[in-house]
Amino acid sequence: VTRYSVPEEMKEGSVVANLAADLGLDVGSLTERKVKLDILHSKKYLDINKDTGELYVLEKIDREYICNIKTSSCFLKMDVTLENPIRIFNFEVEILDINDHAPHFRKETMHLDISESTSVGERFSLNNAVDPDYGSNSIKTYHLTESDHFNLDIQTGSDGSKYANLVLKKALDREKKAVHNLILTAVDGGVPARSGTASIIVRVLDVNDNAPQFDRQVYTVNVSENSPIGSLVMKLNAEDLDEGGNAEIVYSFTLYTSEKTQDLFSLNSNTGEIKVKGVIDFEEIKTLEMHIQAHDKGINQLSGQCTVMVFVIDVNDNHPTITITSLKTAVKENVPLGTVIALVGISDRDSGDNGIVNITINQQLPFALNKSSDKDFALIVSEPLDREKVSEYDITFIVTDRGTPPLSDNETITLELLDINDNAPLFPKSFYTIPVMENNGPGSLLSSVAAVDPDLHENQYLVYFIIEKEIANTSMSMLFSINPENGDLYALKTFDYEREKEFLFHIEARDSGVPPLSSNVTVHIIIVDQNDNTPVIVSPWSAHGSVVEEVIPRSIDKGHLVSKVIAIDGDSVHNSRITYQFLQLTDATLFSLDQYNGEIRTMRMFSYRDARHQRMVVLAKDNGDPALSATVTIKLSTVEQAVKVYSDTMEVPLEYDIFSDLNLYLVISLGAVSFLLLMTILVTIVLKCQKPKPTKAAPPVCRNSIISQRNSTIADSTLISSDAYWYSLFLAETRKGKVVVRQPVPKAGYIISSIPRSTGLTETSESAASTLQV
């Protein structure tokens, strides 16, 4: 066997040996004998150049690849076969190792977990490096980067391999350095030497050797009272230098924390958050103290503690309060000024400006507050009181603090004013005019004259009186009656307008107070006329009933005054207004009737066809409601010769039967009065008419001397030519207690004289004898 040695670094084409020369053959014989080369396992690396007989390298030889098992020798075996004759030659090519590989680690990073409690000197195996090279070209040693805690211990195996162990030379502290990063270097023995590195990461495993710690021993925090439930007060953050379960912290209250505090605040055991749990009231407690512990979850738990001081901040959450003492619920309306009605105290549980309170009362009241201290006041009467204006006061006390926003409260008391008799009864009117219809029934209600008294109770109870007064020897209490309780006024008799027209008296109202007060009012009773008198026809006059016979010449002209119907009515002016109309008439074309003065005149001259006897019925009706009336029948006879209508010497006797209210005996006696007296009265009347009073304008016609001619052709509705007027005068004079006398006066008509019944011939301003001439 021929052996050749070649280094593995030989490149392609490099000649390993000349086989022809080594075999003693020439080059030609190699060609002729068909040399066949068989290279075991490495046929691709070597070949024979048949032209030169040289053994050369086909491609670069890698010893570590060919001999993958680490060995001291690595050979490529070859068989060379020659034919004719066949000869076989054995060759071995030893591949010499060169340091063409650097050491390398199977893992570029090695992780080691070492507890910080590991003792010094403890050894930790490391993964060794590998180097395909052999012998001195293989790994020679290991190196470790500089470290305070670790070094290397290198061991040599039985096959010469080098192993490295990591040795702890100083105790570990995870809290100082949790991870140690080391570089392990493997160096071979080649020239030049090659090396490979690997990272060693040493993770220090924690040991529960650190207790949780707060950054402060005492925390202070301000919390407003009435903070919402769940609001965050603060968050505790204790630290534990350990890790894992040894660093997981649980927070809790210690036994030194009161139950009241734990009712107000909650503590999250995991996050350390302190939140409001209950209602915090500054007025109840102003400072709270929490003792809090933080412990880890290590096997041997360690803990730390802190104190949290909570200072409650006052909020204006308390309304001011009012305390009322010595309260008077009722006083007399004349109570003196300065009288104390109530004592008032104010307070507020808040502090600072929140607890400063101002008090006022509703301004419209006549009361005032007197201050005795910052918290005490007296409510006094500051103005005169009048129950009749205000009977009851609702006094409201209003208190307001100075907080932001301010809070207020109020309380109302009721003060009743007790009445005193300080008001006299008061009539709504100072003068009552009460119309009363005549012919009223006795006991009929006339009106109510009620007074009012603003006082109360007995001071308000009124009693009514008629103040006594006599009229014509008649007491008012005989004519009128008043209900003493309600002031209803009643008539005690039936009144006649034609006799009594008015009454004037006073009514007094008196209260029941002590002493009593009273007032009075004037009452004017006016009797109102009622149409209760039927008209009486006084002209044309007949002594034998209501049929009158008249004679007129047939030769009278148109418009001639045939007759004049005069009726009188005893009622007042309105009810005594008389109108006239025909009820029956023989010839409606012959006569006319003036409806106002009752004059009957011819409408044309008589003709031979007209009847000699004419009959007419005249109705005299008053203006009352319902109207009353009377009739007169006039029978006219016409004659051919003229007849003197009125005789100058005709004497008409006074008929007393038409005056129903005259005393027959008085008329007879007064009729005997001498003619001289009548003439004297007549002269007196004439003188008065000629000499009127200077203070009044003289009327165009004298009231007491009215001249009328019965044959006047002019109809006058005024007092002149009015026969009704003098009869009304008769009636008026008669009502005054005078006797009315009617007697003829030659060539003048009639004279009416009135003489007072009681005073005889004495002449006064009101009862002087009067004479009416018609």
Side-chain angles (χ1 to χ4, degrees):
V1 177
T2 303
R3 178 176 296 176
Y4 300 102
S5 297
V6 295
E8 61 177 331
E9 73 269 11
M10 290 185 70
K11 298 181 180 179
E12 296 176 3
S14 298
V15 177
V16 176
N18 190 331
L19 294 181
D22 291 337
L23 294 177
L25 296 176
D26 56 16
V27 176
S29 62
L30 292 176
T31 305
E32 293 176 357
R33 298 180 65 179
K34 299 181 181 178
V35 179
K36 182 178 179 183
L37 178 64
D38 183 14
I39 302 175
L40 299 177
H41 307 297
S42 302
K43 186 177 181 179
K44 66 177 181 177
Y45 295 107
L46 298 174
D47 198 5
I48 298 174
N49 188 335
K50 294 180 179 181
D51 295 331
T52 63
E54 294 175 339
L55 181 65
Y56 65 92
V57 178
L58 286 175
E59 66 177 47
K60 185 178 179 179
I61 300 173
D62 186 357
R63 181 179 183 276
E64 287 74 28
Y65 177 77
I66 296 173
C67 300
N68 55 7
I69 297 175
K70 201 169 186 178
T71 180
S72 58
S73 59
C74 180
F75 298 97
L76 287 176
K77 293 181 178 183
M78 298 179 296
D79 291 331
V80 178
T81 302
L82 296 177
E83 292 181 356
N84 298 316
I86 296 174
R87 290 184 66 185
I88 298 174
F89 299 95
N90 295 321
F91 293 93
E92 290 182 348
V93 178
E94 181 182 11
I95 301 173
L96 301 177
D97 182 56
I98 65 173
N99 192 21
D100 59 347
H101 291 88
H104 69 276
F105 293 91
R106 293 185 179 89
K107 293 183 179 180
E108 294 182 355
T109 303
M110 291 178 282
H111 294 277
L112 293 178
D113 291 336
I114 303 175
S115 173
E116 62 178 330
S117 61
T118 301
S119 302
V120 175
E122 190 75 20
R123 305 166 72 85
F124 303 95
S125 296
L126 301 177
N127 293 330
N128 59 323
V130 293
D131 192 334
D133 296 326
Y134 179 76
S136 61
N137 291 330
S138 184
I139 295 173
K140 180 180 181 180
T141 187
Y142 291 91
H143 300 287
L144 185 67
T145 56
E146 187 68 27
S147 172
D148 295 335
H149 294 82
F150 298 95
N151 56 21
L152 286 177
D153 178 27
I154 301 174
Q155 299 290 329
T156 302
S158 58
D159 59 352
S161 299
K162 302 293 184 180
Y163 301 96
N165 292 319
L166 189 65
V167 180
L168 180 64
K169 68 177 182 179
K170 182 180 180 180
L172 299 175
D173 189 349
R174 191 205 65 80
E175 287 71 38
K176 292 182 179 181
K177 192 171 184 179
V179 177
H180 294 266
N181 292 312
L182 304 175
I183 302 297
L184 179 63
T185 303
V187 182
D188 60 20
V191 178
R194 291 175 176 259
S195 63
T197 62
S199 296
I200 301 175
I201 299 176
V202 178
R203 186 176 63 180
V204 181
L205 299 180
D206 183 56
V207 174
N208 193 20
D209 57 348
N210 290 281
Q213 290 184 350
F214 294 93
D215 56 353
R216 299 181 192 174
Q217 285 298 109
V218 178
Y219 295 89
T220 59
V221 63
N222 295 327
V223 177
S224 298
E225 64 173 328
N226 303 321
S227 294
I229 304 298
S231 59
L232 181 65
V233 175
M234 69 174 300
K235 181 178 181 181
L236 296 174
N237 188 21
E239 292 185 354
D240 193 319
L241 299 179
D242 297 322
E243 68 175 359
N246 297 329
E248 293 182 13
I249 297 176
V250 177
Y251 299 90
S252 62
F253 290 115
T254 68
L255 297 177
Y256 297 104
T257 304
S258 67
E259 293 183 1
K260 176 63 176 177
T261 303
Q262 295 185 45
D263 291 337
L264 296 177
F265 299 98
S266 65
L267 174 62
N268 189 308
S269 61
N270 295 322
T271 63
E273 290 180 343
I274 300 175
K275 294 183 178 180
V276 176
K277 178 182 177 183
V279 178
I280 304 173
D281 188 358
F282 174 83
E283 289 68 39
E284 183 177 347
I285 187 169
K286 297 176 175 55
T287 304
L288 295 134
E289 187 173 319
M290 289 182 279
H291 298 275
I292 297 174
Q293 171 183 279
H295 66 82
D296 58 31
K297 292 184 179 180
I299 297 177
N300 298 316
Q301 293 182 352
L302 300 177
S303 64
Q305 293 183 352
C306 72
T307 301
V308 178
M309 300 296 298
V310 178
F311 296 98
V312 181
I313 299 175
D314 183 46
V315 174
N316 193 23
D317 61 337
N318 288 282
H319 288 262
T321 59
I322 305 171
T323 304
I324 300 175
T325 59
S326 303
L327 174 63
K328 294 180 180 178
T329 58
V331 295
K332 290 186 176 181
E333 59 179 320
N334 63 342
V335 63
L337 299 183
T339 300
V340 176
I341 302 300
L343 297 179
V344 183
I346 59 176
S347 62
D348 193 318
R349 295 181 62 198
D350 293 322
S351 61
D353 288 343
N354 297 332
I356 300 176
V357 181
N358 298 324
I359 181 170
T360 59
I361 59 174
N362 28 344
Q363 297 299 321
Q364 69 272 21
L365 305 179
F367 296 91
L369 283 171
N370 278 359
K371 182 177 181 181
S372 56
S373 69
D374 290 339
K375 300 292 184 180
D376 298 299
F377 297 84
L379 179 69
I380 64 169
V381 177
S382 60
E383 294 181 14
L385 303 178
D386 188 351
R387 191 208 61 81
E388 287 68 41
K389 292 182 179 178
V390 181
S391 62
E392 188 177 85
Y393 288 92
D394 289 329
I395 305 172
T396 301
F397 299 95
I398 304 169
V399 288
T400 306
D401 61 27
R402 297 183 185 178
T404 303
L407 298 180
S408 62
D409 198 1
N410 63 79
E411 186 168 343
T412 301
I413 63 172
T414 298
L415 178 64
E416 178 187 3
L417 298 187
L418 303 179
D419 184 58
I420 64 170
N421 193 25
D422 57 345
N423 291 278
L426 179 65
F427 288 94
K429 302 178 182 178
S430 60
F431 190 90
Y432 283 88
T433 300
I434 303 174
V436 178
M437 186 68 69
E438 66 173 331
N439 301 318
N440 60 294
S444 61
L445 177 65
L446 303 183
S447 181
S448 179
V449 186
V452 294
D453 193 320
D455 294 323
L456 287 179
H457 308 307
E458 65 275 0
N459 299 329
Q460 188 186 36
Y461 299 149
L462 303 182
V463 180
Y464 298 89
F465 306 92
I466 295 178
I467 299 178
E468 288 297 335
K469 179 182 179 182
E470 290 189 359
I471 300 178
N473 297 324
T474 302
S475 173
M476 285 294 104
S477 60
M478 298 178 63
L479 301 177
F480 302 98
S481 172
I482 190 168
N483 188 321
E485 295 182 355
N486 58 23
D488 289 346
L489 185 63
Y490 299 89
L492 296 180
K493 60 165 286 187
T494 301
F495 297 108
D496 185 359
Y497 175 81
E498 287 70 37
R499 291 183 178 273
E500 305 111 342
K501 291 184 172 54
E502 63 180 8
F503 300 95
L504 193 68
F505 56 92
H506 298 285
I507 291 178
E508 178 182 307
R510 182 184 307 160
D511 62 29
S512 302
V514 179
L517 300 176
S518 63
S519 62
N520 58 67
V521 68
T522 301
V523 178
H524 185 199
I525 304 293
I526 298 177
I527 309 301
V528 180
D529 181 52
Q530 190 177 36
N531 193 26
D532 58 347
N533 289 284
T534 303
V536 177
I537 297 177
V538 297
S539 176
W541 177 81
S542 173
H544 304 289
S546 60
V547 179
V548 178
E549 295 183 357
E550 297 280 356
V551 178
I552 60 174
R554 292 182 65 86
S555 60
I556 58 176
D557 295 329
K558 174 184 177 182
H560 182 77
L561 179 64
V562 174
S563 180
K564 185 178 179 68
V565 179
I566 300 176
I568 61 174
D569 194 311
D571 294 318
S572 65
V573 175
H574 179 75
N575 292 325
S576 64
R577 293 175 183 173
I578 307 296
T579 57
Y580 304 90
Q581 65 184 64
F582 284 127
L583 284 182
Q584 296 179 10
L585 187 60
T586 303
D587 189 348
T589 65
L590 190 55
F591 302 100
S592 64
L593 173 61
D594 191 303
Q595 64 173 337
Y596 297 109
N597 60 22
E599 291 182 348
I600 303 174
R601 295 181 181 272
T602 58
M603 297 175 62
R604 61 179 175 80
M605 295 183 65
F606 284 92
S607 69
Y608 68 93
R609 295 186 183 88
D610 297 324
R612 292 187 177 275
H613 299 285
Q614 300 285 333
R615 182 177 181 275
M616 59 187 71
V617 179
V618 178
L619 173 70
K621 181 175 65 173
D622 62 22
N623 196 38
D625 185 16
L628 300 178
S629 63
T631 61
V632 61
T633 302
I634 301 176
K635 293 182 178 181
L636 289 178
S637 300
T638 60
V639 295
E640 296 296 335
Q641 71 277 11
V643 181
K644 188 174 183 179
V645 181
Y646 297 106
S647 175
D648 293 340
T649 61
M650 179 180 179
E651 190 174 302
V652 181
L654 179 64
E655 296 295 336
Y656 298 103
D657 58 343
I658 65 174
F659 308 109
S660 60
D661 60 332
L662 298 179
N663 191 303
L664 181 61
Y665 296 101
L666 290 176
V667 174
I668 296 174
S669 62
L670 290 175
V673 177
S674 66
F675 181 74
L676 181 60
L677 178 60
L678 296 177
M679 293 302 293
T680 302
I681 296 173
L682 179 61
V683 172
T684 303
I685 295 174
V686 171
L687 291 177
K688 290 183 177 180
C689 292
Q690 292 177 352
K691 189 178 181 181
K693 295 182 180 179
T695 59
K696 296 182 180 179
V701 180
C702 179
R703 181 177 181 273
N704 295 323
S705 177
I706 303 175
I707 302 174
S708 174
Q709 296 296 332
R710 288 290 301 270
N711 56 356
S712 173
T713 59
I714 301 175
D716 193 344
S717 62
T718 62
L719 295 180
I720 301 175
S721 301
S722 177
D723 292 336
Y725 176 76
W726 55 258
Y727 184 75
S728 297
L729 183 61
F730 295 162
L731 190 60
E733 294 294 320
T734 302
R735 287 171 181 163
K736 294 178 182 178
K738 302 176 183 179
V739 178
V740 179
V741 179
R742 174 175 150 182
Q743 61 184 10
V745 177
K747 299 181 181 181
Y750 299 93
I751 292 179
I752 302 167
S753 299
S754 62
I755 303 174
R757 290 180 178 177
S758 60
T759 59
L761 300 179
T762 305
E763 182 176 351
T764 64
S765 62
E766 294 184 358
S767 62
S770 61
T771 303
L772 177 62
Q773 185 175 356
V774 296

